[in-house]
Amino acid sequence: MTSDKKSLRDAYGEILVELGSQDRSIVVLDADLSGSTRTSKFAKKYPERFFNMGIAEQDMISTAAGLAAVGKIPFASTFAVFASGRAWDQVRQSVCLSNMNVKIVASHGGITVGEDGPTHQALEDIALMRIMPNMTVIVPADAHETTSAMKTIVKTRGPVYLRTARDKLPVVTDEGFEFDIGKGSVVRDGPDAAIIACGYMVAKSLEAADLLAKDGIMAAVVNMSTIKPLDTGLVAKMAASTGAIVAAEEHSIIGGLGSAVAEAVCEVGPVPVIRVGMKKPVGQSGKPEQLLDHYGMNAISIADAVHKAVSMKKEPVSNAQS
Amino acid sequence: MKRIEDCEELAKIADELRIDILEMLHTAGSGHTGGSLSAIDILTALYFSKMNHKPGMENGAERDRFVLSKGHGAPALYVTLARCGYFDKSELASLRKLGSMLSGHPYSPSTPGVEVTTGSLGQGLSIANGMALGLKLDQSKSVIFCLMGDGETQEGQVWEAAMTSAHYKLDNLVAILDNNGLQIDGFVKDVMGIEPIGDKWRAFGWEVIEIDGHDMSALLGAIDKAVAVKGKPSLIWAHTVKGKGVSFMENKASYHGAAPTAKELEMAKKELNPA
């Protein structure tokens, strides 16, 4: 991990223009947030292929389905709360039931939306999109992965929900890293526990792993950027090799990555799974880092969760191989 | 498809399709009778006279498209598609049954000729807008037809979409309102009034063409007129009768979602085909 921080939404806006120059069937829709979601870059370059739908997210999603029905590849963007919540039935009925080739790229995911407060903090979107039929759900960890994921999803038919963040995030992937749908990546290895994270929590998990190392616990960190389809093979492997799992996400502990990991672990051979995420029903305004500290989504909280998971192992670490 | 211009011939087809609708719904034992009978003259005019389409022409650049936004009118669409040859008429007997290609509401992946999945009301016009935007980009001459129910326009999304059609000047889009005056709980005017219909659509920037939705000649003329409008979308405001063609079903909310019994089917067939 470098100390560099880069914006995921900037990365989205830039790659969208690049992809748009290569493929004329790419069209972009936004709901009056094009400056914030960064689709404004595409709008400026290709105005004839950009459709501002006004403040009407439901109409935007169904319109995107219509564009897909005549062979276009629509990217529809707005804040994560609106894309997943306001337009949930349109995502289900107009897009997902018929496996329409609509890409929903939602910015401002999670509690790090910050000062805008609880109405704008998407803490349920992964759950809402994960249950959608045919939907692929992606939460990139950094700007580089966002770019790589965009290159992949544009070539893959079917609906995708890709969540970015408001703030710049630390770069955690290597230059040569290539995103693959449904594949998690081990960004740090360790035998004692595995932290499976997505989005900003990958960087926080790497910090946590540093803290844990000082206590003699060597924790692996997995960047699980595809929540659905989940890389159950990797989850099973990490569960078997470490015997203790922590899942970390900037999302409610109900229904998101933590739930997906817990479901998978239960089916492959149970080991302790501790979920790190939003445990309170509703957030509040505040600075992003203050909120992560306040609601237990920081490196210390993740490290504490690892200690707990390790303490719950059925066998001590030293005997695990015998 | 061969385009039929003779109104009497079209009216005869519509009445034969009414019998198909009633038979398939009776066999299924459930389904939406009233709204299918109010819409079938409109579908007949589109599919047998005005739309450029044929089975197998799935993605032809000049293919006109039909979106049944009032998805519960699926029986009317299915009998029409079967008669056009999109699938065998024998499939109609499988409506709503396990393994059938004919779902209770239109589900595009399973039914040849069904353009989009609809059923949750109010989404079809937005989808039709998306098709119209995409086809305009391709400089296609295709026209998108979207059939809505009057009760359906209580959905807020319809008005979001109505704004979009006008904002983007979608003159390759024709919406048709099946104004039968009834919805599940009763008369539209009692449940949630939608008047003044014409003024609302005109205020949203639409050309409004008001007709009797069971007058085949008026339907053909209105479709021609709507397609010819340039620079804005058109609405054919079709006054219809729920349950049209079967006296004891006409204007009865109770036949919104009820299939005919064997006795009702016999009585209806006698009315529709007196010879």
Side-chain angles (χ1 to χ4, degrees):
Chain A
M1 185 167 79
T2 68
S3 55
D4 270 10
K5 284 191 170 188
K6 285 188 178 166
S7 161
L8 280 67
R9 42 190 180 128
D10 281 346
Y12 168 58
E14 283 156 22
I15 189 66
L16 200 50
V17 171
E18 188 184 322
L19 294 170
S21 72
Q22 295 158 7
D23 188 343
R24 306 289 298 175
S25 61
I26 291 175
V27 295
V28 177
L29 303 92
D30 207 301
D32 194 39
L33 289 169
S34 63
S36 297
T37 64
R38 304 295 195 256
T39 60
S40 52
K41 291 175 186 165
F42 186 97
K44 203 173 167 192
K45 192 84 187 279
Y46 302 109
E48 74 287 356
R49 284 190 274 147
F50 174 79
F51 304 108
N52 202 324
M53 304 306 294
I55 309 163
E57 296 79 10
Q58 301 175 352
D59 185 42
M60 175 175 75
I61 295 297
S62 296
T63 304
L67 282 156
V70 295
K72 304 298 174 194
I73 306 174
F75 282 80
S77 286
T78 179
F79 289 176
V81 270
F82 307 131
S84 66
R86 184 64 176 249
W88 193 89
D89 188 50
Q90 285 72 18
V91 176
R92 179 176 185 271
Q93 303 266 353
S94 294
V95 176
C96 286
L97 285 181
S98 313
N99 203 22
M100 301 301 283
N101 194 24
V102 172
K103 315 302 181 193
I104 300 168
V105 180
S107 68
H108 295 61
I111 202 150
T112 49
V113 163
E115 290 84 345
D116 275 354
T119 54
H120 285 54
Q121 293 162 348
L123 294 165
E124 308 86 9
D125 59 322
I126 299 173
L128 289 169
M129 293 296 104
R130 190 165 78 91
I131 199 168
M132 281 288 176
N134 296 314
M135 184 67 107
T136 294
V137 180
I138 300 167
V139 183
D142 63 15
H144 177 214
E145 189 175 33
T146 303
T147 304
S148 185
M150 282 289 291
K151 289 178 184 171
T152 304
I153 65 172
V154 78
K155 291 183 290 192
T156 312
R157 279 196 67 84
V160 172
Y161 178 79
L162 188 151
R163 179 214 234 199
T164 66
R166 194 195 79 160
D167 280 1
K168 292 178 178 176
L169 298 185
V171 175
V172 296
T173 58
D174 300 328
E175 268 304 305
F177 172 81
E178 282 188 23
F179 172 86
D180 196 358
I181 292 174
K183 291 287 174 206
S185 53
V186 179
V187 289
R188 174 172 173 146
D189 221 339
D192 299 332
I195 308 165
I196 300 176
C198 65
Y200 191 14
M201 289 301 110
V202 176
K204 295 287 181 193
S205 298
L206 287 166
E207 280 180 46
D210 285 340
L211 296 175
L212 288 160
K214 289 173 190 159
D215 296 333
I217 294 176
M218 305 311 288
V221 176
V222 173
N223 173 16
M224 194 60 86
S225 43
T226 312
I227 318 290
K228 184 190 174 191
L230 187 70
D231 190 346
T232 50
L234 183 58
V235 171
K237 191 177 148 215
M238 299 314 289
S241 66
T242 67
I245 301 282
V246 166
E249 63 194 312
E250 201 186 324
H251 184 271
S252 167
I253 57 163
I254 300 169
L257 174 66
S259 292
V261 167
E263 288 158 15
V265 170
C266 281
E267 291 188 343
V268 296
V271 302
V273 176
I274 306 293
R275 294 165 300 159
V276 172
M278 181 64 170
K279 295 189 173 78
K280 298 281 186 200
V282 184
Q284 59 178 306
S285 288
K287 291 190 186 308
E289 294 299 327
Q290 285 179 328
L291 291 165
L292 292 173
D293 291 342
H294 184 78
Y295 290 107
M297 288 175 273
N298 59 13
I300 294 167
S301 303
I302 295 168
D304 287 348
V306 170
H307 278 294
K308 188 175 175 192
V310 168
S311 74
M312 288 167 69
K313 284 196 201 186
K314 284 181 185 139
E315 297 172 80
V317 177
S318 56
N319 295 339
Q321 305 300 321
S322 62
Chain B
M1 293 277 298
K2 184 178 139 245
R3 292 165 185 255
I4 301 168
E5 297 294 336
D6 182 65
C7 290
E8 273 182 39
E9 191 182 347
L10 288 166
K12 186 166 171 282
I13 290 172
D15 276 350
E16 287 165 7
L17 291 175
R18 282 190 164 88
I19 292 172
D20 290 346
I21 289 169
L22 293 162
E23 282 183 338
M24 84 186 288
L25 286 168
H26 170 68
T27 305
S30 70
H32 298 87
T33 307
S36 295
L37 294 176
S38 70
I40 195 63
D41 293 309
I42 297 165
L43 269 85
T44 301
L46 288 171
Y47 274 88
F48 296 97
S49 186
K50 293 301 175 188
M51 272 171 47
N52 180 33
H53 76 105
K54 66 179 176 191
M57 193 185 178
E58 299 299 341
N59 283 309
E62 306 301 304
R63 180 167 61 97
D64 292 337
R65 283 145 171 102
F66 176 75
V67 176
L68 183 67
S69 192
K70 48 169 280 184
H72 55 279
L77 180 58
Y78 294 158
V79 297
T80 304
L81 291 173
R83 187 163 176 140
C84 290
Y86 283 89
F87 50 83
D88 197 88
K89 195 181 169 185
S90 63
E91 296 285 346
L92 298 179
S94 71
L95 174 73
R96 292 175 161 251
K97 294 198 165 74
L98 185 67
S100 172
M101 67 158 68
L102 305 177
S103 294
H105 293 79
Y107 180 57
S108 59
S110 68
T111 315
V114 170
E115 298 281 355
V116 292
T117 296
T118 50
S120 182
L121 294 173
Q123 300 187 21
L125 187 57
S126 300
I127 297 171
N129 282 338
M131 292 172 148
L133 285 168
L135 291 168
K136 260 191 185 280
L137 274 181
D138 294 341
Q139 293 170 337
S140 163
K141 292 190 173 63
S142 299
V143 180
I144 314 296
F145 295 94
C146 176
L147 181 64
M148 293 179 289
D150 48 2
E152 179 181 8
T153 65
Q154 291 160 353
E155 290 279 9
Q157 190 184 348
V158 169
W159 301 100
E160 294 182 1
M163 264 187 271
T164 298
S165 320
H167 180 81
Y168 285 104
K169 302 183 170 57
L170 298 179
D171 50 18
N172 56 343
L173 171 86
V174 175
I176 304 165
L177 187 69
D178 180 4
N179 186 194
N180 62 33
L182 281 162
Q183 57 191 115
I184 298 179
D185 274 355
F187 289 102
V188 173
K189 65 180 168 55
D190 296 330
V191 176
M192 180 55 67
I194 60 169
E195 293 284 0
I197 293 170
D199 289 346
K200 279 191 172 117
W201 287 89
R202 275 186 290 268
F204 271 71
W206 287 61
E207 180 75 21
V208 175
I209 303 161
E210 187 177 359
I211 56 160
D212 172 353
H214 301 303
D215 178 338
M216 200 53 78
S217 170
L219 272 167
L220 299 188
I223 295 166
D224 284 344
K225 197 174 161 192
V227 170
V229 169
K230 292 294 163 213
K232 61 176 171 176
S234 301
L235 175 83
I236 297 176
W237 177 11
H239 292 276
T240 57
V241 173
K242 198 149 183 166
K244 175 71 179 180
V246 181
S247 61
F248 56 92
M249 291 180 173
E250 288 187 357
N251 289 314
K252 298 248 171 61
S254 54
Y255 281 100
H256 173 93
T261 62
K263 191 181 166 198
E264 286 169 341
L265 177 63
E266 279 316 302
M267 287 161 59
K269 281 164 93 168
K270 272 180 200 158
E271 287 190 22
L272 288 163
N273 190 8

